[in-house]
Amino acid sequence: MATVSPVEVDEEGDCVFTSEFWAKHYRESGAAPFDWYQNYSTLRSPLLDIMETIKRGAEICFTGCGTSTLPAHLHDEGFKNITKLDFENQYKFSRK
């Protein structure tokens, strides 16, 4: 499985900004949760410090989120108005 980095192409030269790239990624990974930047336990403290300036009812939109666990964790922290958008619609997040 390719390791995705915050650049335009992976180590195999495939552009990471295409739906085809991500469809292949999810097929090969079995749609396991995937956070390319950092996992939530690493981000939690600095992220919640920033998020304290946002009202809990604010609309939050995650674009290109795939199977990231970040929206679910933020939901559990009290941010309930979350929308996820991605090429791969089958990985929708829904918690009320």
Side-chain angles (χ1 to χ4, degrees):
M1 178 171 68
T3 301
V4 179
S5 59
V7 296
E8 294 182 14
V9 296
D10 68 0
E11 63 272 0
E12 295 160 0
D14 295 326
C15 180
V16 300
F17 298 122
T18 65
S19 60
E20 293 83 9
F21 174 89
W22 290 104
K24 177 183 174 189
H25 168 79
Y26 292 122
R27 270 194 316 275
E28 292 176 357
S29 70
F34 177 71
D35 290 294
W36 65 265
Y37 182 66
Q38 291 287 331
N39 62 39
Y40 185 69
S41 62
T42 302
L43 292 176
R44 184 180 186 274
S45 180
L47 185 59
L48 289 180
D49 286 346
I50 294 166
M51 297 295 286
E52 287 303 317
T53 65
I54 299 172
K55 293 180 181 176
R56 296 280 194 223
E59 294 179 359
I60 301 171
C61 181
F62 285 91
T63 58
C65 56
T67 58
S68 172
T69 61
L70 182 57
H73 286 293
L74 287 179
H75 182 275
D76 293 344
E77 297 284 355
F79 297 93
K80 306 295 185 189
N81 199 0
I82 297 173
T83 300
K84 287 177 56 174
L85 300 174
D86 199 273
F87 289 129
E88 297 298 312
N89 290 337
Q90 62 194 12
Y91 306 111
K92 291 179 183 174
F93 164 77
S94 178
R95 280 196 187 157
K96 301 288 179 192

